[in-house]
Amino acid sequence: MTQTSVPDVVIRRLTTYLQTLKHMAQRGEHVASSTEIGRWAGVSPAQVRKDLSHFGEFGRQGLGYEIGFLCTQIERILKIDQDWRLILVGAGALGHALMNYGAFVTGRFQIVAVFDSDPAKVNTRVGQREILPMERLAEIIAERHVEIAILAVPATAAQHVADQLVACGVRSILSYAPITLNTPRDVHVRYIDPVASLQTMTYYL
Amino acid sequence: MTQTSVPDVVIRRLTTYLQTLKHMAQRGEHVASSTEIGRWAGVSPAQVRKDLSHFGEFGRQGLGYEIGFLCTQIERILKIDQDWRLILVGAGALGHALMNYGAFVTGRFQIVAVFDSDPAKVNTRVGQREILPMERLAEIIAERHVEIAILAVPATAAQHVADQLVACGVRSILSYAPITLNTPRDVHVRYIDPVASLQTMTYYL
């Protein structure tokens, strides 16, 4: 099966499986069954096996999955066993919080440049980075081979900035703006929306 | 079937179905099939029907679901057809961004108080709210009948603050701290983690 035929929801579930496996490893476990993985991820054991079978044969019938091995394999499949350069657009309060977020300083995802359209912010610093004007977006994206951007701009500016990012070659956008972006089919967008998360919890109250 | 027997993953999927339905309504559609809903949410039509059947009979065989009606029903099930009071702990850059987030000012989820442990921040303002000391946590939670908290504190403080929140009666926590919290079984925690979202996109690059 070619990579492009794997449904997006399977890719999303792989990250959940990875988290589950890492939790189990932290608890000192070495082997995981599809039942255990599925229970945590909220899917059936058959679904876990089917999802993983898109990418190869990782376990043995009746013996389960070796946790360390499966973690390594999933990280390789998701390409998170390598470093990625990101840019951040929007240097407001959220942008500052993101620049100070440990994972973006020392982790595999590194924010290499920050942009803002506000002339008063340009040339000031956020974290260790100087804020660049939007005019330099194309140049930096090309120079640093950036394919991923974080969008931390107001809702009213988000679509316009997304269009610019796409035109410059960005193919993955993580958006904090509470609107749905229109992007070409080959551009992947994920949204971070606290309200959507809160809406999954009130049921229990 | 009692409410408590519904798996958490079904509750999460309901919010995805709701988003799907709202998108369809925006496009001017009035009726949705389980196939259409499922395609967007990445599950089978049978799964959509099974998930909804936990709560009642919302569609007619062969006719699909009336979108406006189903939206109203899902909002009622998720209890997001009512207002909720939240508190925010952590008045750093992220806390400021959250206080300025439109949905928390005018939406169904209203941040009614902000807390910080830093004496230098206490009594200053963030958005329209005065920052309160942690010592007032129990009093405000009881007085305002708050059951939901947003955690925007550093990873090192997150577990300690979560323990305080739970002790004060908070039963839902939305955490921005990049650690897994230990909480009692009846406390629901959701995590907002930009790295987890980014990890679902690099596969396509």
Side-chain angles (χ1 to χ4, degrees):
Chain A
M1 208 177 267
T2 63
Q3 289 207 335
T4 48
S5 70
V6 178
D8 187 53
V9 68
V10 174
I11 301 302
R12 291 168 186 254
R13 278 199 293 260
L14 284 189
T15 63
T16 310
Y17 300 160
L18 184 61
Q19 282 164 18
T20 306
L21 292 163
K22 294 208 161 170
H23 278 287
M24 294 180 73
Q26 273 173 15
R27 287 203 306 263
E29 295 171 44
H30 296 285
V31 176
S33 67
S34 51
T35 306
E36 290 168 301
I37 300 172
R39 192 184 306 134
W40 215 85
V43 297
S44 68
Q47 186 72 64
V48 172
R49 291 192 296 270
K50 191 182 162 201
D51 286 351
L52 292 172
S53 74
H54 282 106
F55 307 98
E57 199 56 74
F58 302 117
R60 289 228 224 126
Q61 185 75 39
L63 291 176
Y65 300 96
E66 202 274 295
I67 290 175
F69 173 74
L70 188 54
C71 283
T72 309
Q73 294 303 311
I74 293 178
E75 286 172 346
R76 182 186 53 76
I77 293 163
L78 295 175
K79 301 186 197 166
I80 53 177
D81 57 346
Q82 53 185 276
D83 293 334
W84 293 95
R85 285 179 298 278
L86 327 182
I87 56 162
L88 168 66
V89 184
L94 177 60
H96 277 76
L98 289 166
M99 288 306 295
N100 292 323
Y101 188 63
F104 291 138
V105 180
T106 58
R108 291 242 180 240
F109 291 95
Q110 272 214 304
I111 297 177
V112 297
V114 189
F115 298 85
D116 203 287
S117 62
D118 181 354
K121 284 185 187 152
V122 168
N123 295 330
T124 65
R125 286 189 162 267
V126 49
Q128 296 175 37
R129 302 270 166 215
E130 195 178 322
I131 300 170
L132 304 177
M134 294 301 284
E135 290 71 29
R136 294 193 58 195
L137 203 58
E139 164 205 339
I140 301 287
I141 288 172
E143 216 168 62
R144 304 297 306 266
H145 306 285
V146 171
E147 294 177 281
I148 309 173
I150 302 182
L151 205 51
V153 302
T156 47
Q159 183 63 56
H160 178 62
V161 173
D163 292 343
Q164 290 179 276
L165 291 168
V166 170
C168 293
V170 164
R171 289 175 57 212
S172 297
I173 299 174
L174 180 65
S175 176
Y176 282 81
I179 65 156
T180 303
L181 299 172
N182 284 312
T183 54
R185 195 170 275 271
D186 64 335
V187 173
H188 282 82
V189 183
R190 303 288 191 232
Y191 299 93
I192 289 201
D193 179 358
V195 171
S197 299
L198 289 166
Q199 289 182 337
T200 68
M201 293 199 290
T202 45
Y203 171 77
Y204 299 102
L205 296 177
Chain B
M1 209 177 267
T2 63
Q3 289 207 335
T4 47
S5 69
V6 178
D8 188 54
V9 70
V10 174
I11 301 302
R12 291 169 185 255
R13 278 198 294 259
L14 284 189
T15 64
T16 310
Y17 300 159
L18 184 61
Q19 283 163 17
T20 306
L21 293 164
K22 295 208 158 169
H23 278 286
M24 293 179 75
Q26 273 174 14
R27 287 202 306 259
E29 296 172 44
H30 296 285
V31 175
S33 67
S34 52
T35 306
E36 289 169 302
I37 301 171
R39 193 184 305 134
W40 214 84
V43 298
S44 69
Q47 185 72 64
V48 173
R49 291 192 297 270
K50 190 182 164 201
D51 287 351
L52 292 172
S53 74
H54 282 106
F55 307 98
E57 198 56 73
F58 303 116
R60 288 225 226 131
Q61 184 75 41
L63 291 176
Y65 301 94
E66 202 273 293
I67 291 176
F69 174 74
L70 189 54
C71 282
T72 309
Q73 293 303 310
I74 294 178
E75 286 172 346
R76 182 186 54 77
I77 294 163
L78 295 175
K79 301 186 198 167
I80 53 176
D81 56 348
Q82 54 186 277
D83 292 334
W84 292 96
R85 285 180 297 278
L86 327 181
I87 56 162
L88 168 66
V89 184
L94 177 60
H96 276 76
L98 289 166
M99 288 305 294
N100 291 323
Y101 188 63
F104 291 138
V105 179
T106 58
R108 290 242 180 241
F109 292 96
Q110 272 214 304
I111 298 178
V112 296
V114 190
F115 298 86
D116 202 288
S117 63
D118 181 355
K121 284 186 186 150
V122 168
N123 296 331
T124 64
R125 284 188 163 268
V126 49
Q128 297 175 36
R129 303 271 165 214
E130 195 178 322
I131 300 170
L132 305 175
M134 294 299 286
E135 289 71 28
R136 296 193 57 194
L137 202 57
E139 166 205 339
I140 302 287
I141 288 172
E143 219 168 61
R144 306 297 306 267
H145 306 286
V146 172
E147 294 177 279
I148 310 174
I150 303 183
L151 204 52
V153 302
T156 47
Q159 183 63 55
H160 177 62
V161 174
D163 293 343
Q164 290 178 276
L165 291 168
V166 170
C168 293
V170 165
R171 289 175 58 213
S172 296
I173 299 174
L174 179 64
S175 177
Y176 282 82
I179 65 157
T180 303
L181 299 172
N182 284 312
T183 54
R185 194 170 277 271
D186 64 336
V187 174
H188 282 82
V189 184
R190 303 286 192 234
Y191 298 93
I192 289 201
D193 178 359
V195 171
S197 299
L198 289 166
Q199 288 181 339
T200 68
M201 293 199 288
T202 45
Y203 170 77
Y204 299 101
L205 297 177

